[in-house]
Amino acid sequence: MQDNRRDFSDNEKMLLFNEVDGHCPICGDTLSHKKKGSIYRTFDIAHIYPANPRPEEVKILEDELLLSSDVNDLKNVIAVCKKCHKIFDTPRTVEEYQKWYRLKLRLIQDAEIKNTYQLFNIESEIKTILENLNNPNFEDELISLNYESLKIDEKTNSTLPFIIKRTIKRDVVDYFDFIKKLFIEINKTNPYKFETLASQIKGFYFKCMQINQSQEYIYNTLVDWLCIKTDNYSKRACEIVIAYFIQDCEVFS
């Protein structure tokens, strides 16, 4: 019987290792070890759709989505520990296939969106907003927004988990008016700066929509992008700012 597997190059192995941040995406175990001062990668490259499917595997997977028509495409393989690879293969089930399919698809989407980060910039003034959110001297200026003014329920759908939706609503209630005042002050010095910032965030939002329309994915990706663009100053402050733009702009509209 012909073996459809191929040998992956060292560069391909490195890409797959980095894709999962050096840890098995199933169990979390490290995929490398250190010995005598050197670091060695110790992982399997597992095919999500099998390279050499048995007849029963062809049957149970016949209606499942594929990540690639080529079983040896990097889209159809993933770096995992040897134990998880063995469990996945013996025997292969539809439920586990679907789980690994979703996992790899998310990794592919994450890589695709991160490759566009350099194309979407954000004005430096956004850092002023983040810094003020972390400034305890401004605590007395916080004025809670009336819950009746919230647009979150109108703009969100079932793809946004309740716990994230609840966090967004609380952030809007607690910080919306405060952030709005900060933007007004920025606009006095730099006219239309808010509009520029809003258009930049909206542009990246639309890019996210092209890749994955899940609101959970979009929210988390917007927060991560803003965090990276502001030198990882404060992820929590980034969450609050993104909540503001969900309430006030076209994000989730």
Side-chain angles (χ1 to χ4, degrees):
M1 179 179 177
Q2 181 181 351
D3 188 352
N4 292 319
R5 271 181 272 262
R6 72 172 175 87
D7 291 330
F8 293 92
S9 69
D10 287 340
N11 284 338
E12 288 174 322
K13 291 176 182 177
M14 182 183 67
L15 285 173
L16 293 169
F17 178 83
N18 290 338
E19 180 182 57
V20 296
D21 294 326
H23 289 82
C24 177
I26 306 301
C27 71
D29 197 8
T30 181
L31 297 180
S32 63
H33 70 273
K34 189 173 183 179
K35 193 172 184 179
K36 294 184 178 180
S38 297
I39 296 177
Y40 300 90
R41 295 193 296 265
T42 50
F43 61 89
D44 282 352
I45 297 177
H47 286 78
I48 298 171
Y49 188 90
N52 301 292
R54 298 186 294 274
E56 62 271 22
E57 291 177 324
V58 173
K59 179 65 177 176
I60 66 171
L61 299 177
E62 62 182 351
D63 295 325
E64 297 302 315
L65 296 173
L66 301 178
L67 291 160
S68 175
S69 58
D70 177 5
V71 293
N72 289 307
D73 190 322
L74 292 186
K75 292 181 179 179
N76 186 55
V77 294
I78 189 169
V80 294
C81 71
K82 297 179 182 297
K83 180 180 177 181
C84 288
H85 188 189
K86 185 70 173 178
I87 293 172
F88 179 59
D89 281 351
T90 52
R92 193 179 303 265
T93 67
V94 171
E95 292 75 21
E96 285 183 307
Y97 175 84
Q98 292 172 345
K99 174 184 175 182
W100 285 43
Y101 173 95
R102 291 192 299 269
L103 171 61
K104 180 66 179 187
L105 181 61
R106 180 59 183 269
L107 291 171
I108 293 170
Q109 292 173 340
D110 285 348
E112 183 178 352
I113 198 68
K114 286 176 181 176
N115 286 338
T116 70
Y117 276 9
Q118 74 278 9
L119 302 177
F120 294 89
N121 295 316
I122 194 79
E123 296 293 303
S124 60
E125 284 78 5
I126 198 72
K127 191 75 173 287
T128 300
I129 304 295
L130 302 184
E131 290 170 349
N132 280 308
L133 285 170
N134 272 326
N135 188 340
N137 296 324
F138 286 93
E139 185 175 1
D140 292 339
E141 297 187 29
L142 296 179
I143 301 175
S144 293
L145 187 71
N146 192 309
Y147 266 97
E148 294 178 359
S149 301
L150 291 180
K151 299 178 182 178
I152 309 304
D153 286 330
E154 302 170 9
K155 302 177 75 174
T156 55
N157 57 41
S158 60
T159 64
L160 187 72
F162 170 75
I163 192 170
I164 296 179
K165 181 177 177 179
R166 189 165 181 259
T167 298
I168 293 171
K169 291 171 76 170
R170 286 189 170 183
D171 286 344
V172 171
V173 167
D174 290 342
Y175 296 101
F176 183 85
D177 280 342
F178 178 64
I179 294 176
K180 186 174 182 178
K181 289 177 182 177
L182 292 174
F183 277 130
I184 289 173
E185 291 303 312
I186 289 174
N187 263 10
K188 289 179 180 178
T189 306
N190 299 289
Y192 301 106
K193 185 59 66 173
F194 170 76
E195 288 76 9
T196 301
L197 287 161
S199 66
Q200 290 171 330
I201 289 177
K202 184 173 68 174
F204 187 67
Y205 161 71
F206 286 135
K207 181 60 183 180
C208 293
M209 284 283 288
Q210 294 174 6
I211 295 174
N212 188 328
Q213 295 184 18
S214 162
Q215 290 186 341
E216 178 182 16
Y217 171 84
I218 292 169
Y219 170 78
N220 288 327
T221 303
L222 284 170
V223 170
D224 289 344
W225 166 74
L226 186 58
C227 197
I228 292 294
K229 287 296 183 177
T230 53
D231 302 320
N232 293 297
Y233 173 75
S234 169
K235 184 170 184 178
R236 182 69 189 106
C238 289
E239 291 173 347
I240 294 169
V241 169
I242 294 303
Y244 175 90
F245 282 100
I246 292 173
Q247 168 74 9
D248 195 52
C249 298
E250 294 185 39
V251 175
F252 285 1
S253 60

